[in-house]
């Protein structure tokens, strides 16, 4: 690891160097433009579902095309090569690798065969389980996740949903049995616009959209010599996940004969043999000047503008409420202190004070009433001590060491550590450094800020520990360093063990 200089000039130079790193995304300064005919890398990441907590790496699935491990024309990358990940990407479950799908700027491909995958009965069962749990796939092009495109009901607004489904299922109307279909053809649409500045003058383009339209095409559909479907617009039968279901050219209606005997025979037939899955893909490029490169992520967030206005309104509302409550508390506190000071001055000046009555008590708003507070004749120095009532009784406990001080000080320090981390994340998010394009950045920066904020944790813990004359500073330092940071990974491990 290279040590950066600590001088002001060296720090400025290091920041300038960091701004040139592609992994560190700065809005408006990390634009990648492509020339006509330049190769565009397509990365595969993982499959995930909103129904379960389990994620799987894309190439770990038994039914996808495995990487061919041959060199590609994209910077010397190998197909299936792992892409370096930051800490946040690893913790969120990303496993990004290059794929065999070839994308070239401006070059459209009507259809191209990718591979043919053989599935055994065990792999077939697992594939059905993933489709049943509504798993979706995440591909990445130019740091944009492959999206499923939707249009609002009034057809005035378009928006994206990250990822696309592995397949779908239908229920037989006769037997009520589910039939699972796998998407084995993917239509890729890359939306681009002319780059700004000198790059645009050179004819370079920037990518503003990445859409994937999956389709299930059965083997009975007409195909050419390479295995590509001839007519992609009119597909009647999908690719059913059943051994022997995609090898016939019958034109009978789907699920026409689903008697119990036929179903039992089908289940027995799936115990042996394999299922061949042909994978194909199409690539199209569309110019779209309605989307700015700096706003290409807006389509992934529904009602993003309205949500931003609501967000700031909630922040302003919270600040106003906090300010009003603080002002009320300060007014009450000031009136109480003023009344107490006036009573104390009367005692010091030696004004005659007979038997106390309820009407003679200083009008402190936080004083507690009661007949026990008005008994006896007080005089001299003892009167100043015995005249204390209500919340002022805490004066005898302020300098008393707490019973569990060895836990109080580390908790205060950990609280300050979390506070500084939260403030740092909010500040960086407001400045735009933590955004969706910085994949895994929120977790990575959060962990980094938490580690750095350990300085504040140790300082405030030591100050609190010293305030009540703590002696064992080594124990306090160890508890501060291990109490909260040690419990958090244990709690997360318990959560993962519970779900897994």
């Amino acid at each position: 690891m290279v040590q950066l200089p600590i001088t002001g000039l060296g720090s400025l130079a290091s920041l300038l160097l960091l701004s040139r790193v592609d992994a560190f995304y700065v809005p408006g300064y990390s634009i990648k433009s492509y020339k006509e005919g330049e190769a565009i890398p397509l990365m595969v990441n993982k499959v995930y579902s909103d129904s379960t907590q389990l994620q799987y790496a894309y190439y770990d699935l038994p039914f996808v095309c495995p990487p061919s491990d041959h060199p590609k024309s994209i910077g010397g990358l190998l197909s299936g090569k792992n892409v370096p990940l930051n800490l946040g990407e690893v913790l969120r479950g990303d496993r990004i690798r290059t794929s065999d799908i070839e994308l070239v700027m401006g070059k459209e491909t009507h259809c191209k065969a990718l591979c043919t995958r053989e599935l055994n009965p065990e792999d077939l069962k697992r594939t059905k389980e993933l489709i049943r749990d509504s798993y979706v796939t995440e591909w990445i092009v130019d740091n944009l996740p492959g999206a499923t495109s939707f249009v609002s009901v009034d057809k005035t607004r378009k928006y994206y949903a990250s990822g696309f489904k592995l397949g779908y299922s239908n229920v037989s109307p006769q037997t009520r049995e589910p039939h699972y279909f796998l998407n084995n053809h993917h239509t890729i649409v890359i939306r681009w616009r002319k780059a700004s500045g000198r790059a645009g003058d050179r004819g370079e383009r920037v990518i503003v959209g990445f859409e994937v339209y999956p389709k299930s095409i059965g083997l009975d559909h007409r195909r050419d010599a390479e295995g590509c479907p001839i007519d992609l617009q009119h597909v009647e039968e999908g690719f059913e996940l059943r051994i022997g279901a995609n090898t016939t050219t019958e034109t009978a209606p789907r699920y026409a004969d689903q008697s119990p005997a036929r179903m039992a025979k089908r289940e027995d037939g799936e115990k042996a043999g394999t299922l061949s899955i042909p994978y194909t893909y199409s690539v199209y490029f569309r110019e779209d000047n309605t989307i700015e490169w700096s706003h290409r992520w807006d389509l992934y967030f529904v009602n993003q503008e309205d949500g931003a206005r609501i967000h700031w309104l909630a922040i302003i509302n919270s600040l106003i409420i906090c300010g009003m409550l603080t002002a009320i508390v300060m007014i009450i506190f000031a009136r109480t202190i003023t009344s107490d000071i006036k009573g104390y001055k009367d005692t010091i000046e030696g004004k005659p004070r007979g038997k106390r009555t309820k009407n003679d008590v200083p009008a402190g708003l936080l004083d507690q009433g009661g007949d026990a507070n008005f008994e006896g004749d007080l005089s001299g120095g003892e009167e100043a001590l015995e005249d204390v009532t209500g919340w002022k009784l805490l004066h005898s406990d302020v300098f008393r060491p707490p019973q569990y001080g060895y836990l109080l000080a580390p908790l205060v320090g950990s609280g300050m550590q979390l506070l500084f981390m939260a403030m740092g994340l909010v500040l960086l998010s407001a400045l735009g450094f933590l955004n969706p394009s910085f994949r895994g950045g929120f977790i990575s920066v959060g962990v980094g800020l938490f580690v750095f904020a350990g300085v504040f944790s140790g300082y405030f813990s030591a100050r609190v520990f010293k305030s009540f004359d703590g002696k064992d500073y080594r124990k306090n330092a160890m508890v501060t360093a291990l109490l909260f940071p040690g419990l958090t990974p244990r709690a997360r491990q318990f959560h993962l063990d519970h779900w897994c």
Side-chain angles (χ1 to χ4, degrees):
M1 181 180 295
V2 180
Q3 294 183 353
L4 297 178
I6 60 176
T7 60
L9 183 59
S11 300
L12 179 60
S14 62
L15 291 176
L16 292 177
L17 290 176
L18 286 176
S19 64
R20 299 294 298 176
V21 180
D22 292 337
F24 186 74
Y25 175 82
V26 179
Y29 296 95
S30 302
I31 301 178
K32 173 63 178 177
S33 58
Y34 298 89
K35 300 178 181 179
E36 182 76 16
E38 182 178 356
I40 304 173
L42 188 147
M43 310 294 179
V44 296
N45 188 6
K46 61 186 177 183
V47 296
Y48 58 92
S49 172
D50 294 334
S51 303
T52 66
Q53 299 293 327
L54 299 179
Q55 301 179 355
Y56 301 98
Y58 183 79
Y59 279 138
D60 290 344
L61 302 178
F63 54 88
V64 302
C65 292
S68 59
D69 296 330
H70 69 275
K72 304 185 68 176
S73 59
I74 308 174
L77 293 177
L78 293 176
S79 173
K81 181 181 179 181
N82 291 317
V83 176
L85 305 176
N86 56 45
L87 178 61
E89 291 174 318
V90 174
L91 293 179
R92 69 195 295 263
D94 289 347
R95 299 295 184 267
I96 304 177
R97 302 174 68 180
T98 57
S99 71
D100 286 325
I101 298 177
E102 297 181 358
L103 302 179
V104 179
M105 176 59 73
K107 180 181 179 181
E108 296 189 348
T109 303
H110 175 69
C111 182
K112 185 174 184 179
L114 186 60
C115 78
T116 299
R117 185 70 168 172
E118 299 289 336
L119 286 188
N120 57 41
E122 294 182 358
D123 296 338
L124 188 65
K125 180 180 179 181
R126 185 183 179 189
T127 306
K128 291 181 179 180
E129 292 175 352
L130 294 177
I131 295 178
R132 180 192 61 196
D133 293 335
S134 302
Y135 271 83
V136 298
T137 308
E138 181 179 350
W139 291 355
I140 302 172
V141 168
D142 195 38
N143 210 21
L144 284 176
T148 302
S149 177
F150 296 94
V151 180
S152 59
V153 178
D154 55 0
K155 298 182 180 181
T156 59
R157 178 175 297 183
K158 178 181 179 180
Y159 61 94
Y160 287 161
S162 181
F164 54 92
K165 290 186 177 182
L166 291 175
Y168 62 94
S169 62
N170 285 334
V171 179
S172 172
Q174 286 81 13
T175 63
R176 298 298 179 183
E177 291 289 335
H179 294 257
Y180 298 94
F181 298 85
L182 180 68
N183 293 324
N184 57 343
H185 179 84
H186 300 90
T187 300
I188 300 172
V189 177
I190 304 296
R191 300 193 176 275
W192 61 272
R193 66 174 297 160
K194 183 179 178 181
S196 59
R198 296 181 179 178
D201 298 337
R202 295 192 298 265
E204 298 183 8
R205 308 170 181 177
V206 293
I207 297 176
V208 295
F210 174 34
E211 303 171 3
V212 180
Y213 299 91
K215 184 175 292 187
S216 180
I217 304 177
L219 290 179
D220 57 345
H221 194 76
R222 295 177 55 192
R223 296 175 180 268
D224 57 16
E226 296 182 357
C228 288
I230 296 178
D231 187 4
L232 293 174
Q233 301 297 328
H234 303 87
V235 179
E236 298 179 357
E237 291 290 332
F239 189 89
E240 184 177 356
L241 291 174
R242 179 165 65 89
I243 296 177
N246 302 280
T247 58
T248 178
T249 57
E250 298 177 357
T251 58
R254 190 186 302 177
Y255 319 131
D257 184 7
Q258 296 292 347
S259 62
R262 178 76 175 265
M263 295 292 296
K265 184 178 179 180
R266 189 191 73 176
E267 295 296 333
D268 293 338
E270 290 186 2
K271 294 181 180 179
T274 59
L275 176 64
S276 298
I277 306 176
Y279 281 97
T280 55
Y281 67 93
S282 304
V283 180
Y284 298 96
F285 289 86
R286 296 290 182 266
E287 184 177 5
D288 193 340
N289 294 320
T290 62
I291 305 175
E292 294 288 342
W293 188 91
S294 58
H295 296 90
R296 62 179 185 168
W297 279 89
D298 293 353
L299 294 176
Y300 290 87
F301 305 100
V302 182
N303 298 326
Q304 193 265 348
E305 297 180 357
D306 297 337
R309 288 195 294 267
I310 296 175
H311 179 70
W312 286 111
L313 180 62
I315 292 178
I316 296 174
N317 186 35
S318 299
L319 293 177
I320 292 176
I321 294 177
C322 291
M324 293 179 61
L325 293 177
T326 302
I328 293 174
V329 172
M330 293 300 296
I331 292 174
I332 295 175
F333 187 74
R335 295 188 60 182
T336 303
I337 294 298
T338 302
S339 177
D340 293 341
I341 292 176
K342 182 179 179 181
Y344 177 76
K345 289 182 178 180
D346 294 341
T347 303
I348 296 300
E349 293 175 358
K351 293 184 178 181
R353 304 180 66 181
K355 186 176 181 179
R356 298 292 303 274
T357 62
K358 185 175 182 179
N359 296 329
D360 296 332
V361 179
L365 294 180
L366 298 181
D367 289 338
Q368 297 179 354
D371 296 337
N373 298 330
F374 310 107
E375 295 181 356
D377 295 331
L378 303 178
S379 60
E382 297 180 356
E383 181 181 3
L385 296 177
E386 296 179 2
D387 197 23
V388 176
T389 58
W391 68 276
K392 294 185 291 298
L393 290 173
L394 293 175
H395 80 278
S396 60
D397 296 328
V398 171
F399 300 103
R400 182 180 300 169
Q403 184 177 1
Y404 298 99
Y406 63 91
L407 292 178
L408 175 63
L411 288 177
V412 172
S414 298
M416 297 303 298
Q417 185 178 9
L418 292 175
L419 177 62
F420 277 96
M421 180 193 72
M423 292 176 59
L425 290 176
V426 171
L427 179 61
L428 292 177
S429 299
L431 294 177
F433 290 98
L434 298 181
N435 54 77
S437 294
F438 188 8
R439 192 180 308 275
F442 192 85
I443 300 178
S444 299
V445 175
V447 173
L449 289 175
F450 183 81
V451 174
F452 175 76
V455 177
F456 303 101
S457 174
Y459 173 77
F460 285 100
S461 176
R463 288 298 301 267
V464 173
F465 191 72
K466 184 180 179 181
S467 64
F468 47 77
D469 297 330
K471 301 300 181 182
D472 195 350
Y473 290 97
R474 294 181 179 179
K475 178 180 178 180
N476 177 69
M478 291 297 297
V479 174
T480 303
L482 299 178
L483 179 61
F484 186 82
L487 289 178
T488 302
R490 293 292 297 176
R492 178 167 179 81
Q493 184 64 34
F494 174 79
H495 176 74
L496 293 178
D497 294 342
H498 173 73
W499 281 103
C500 297

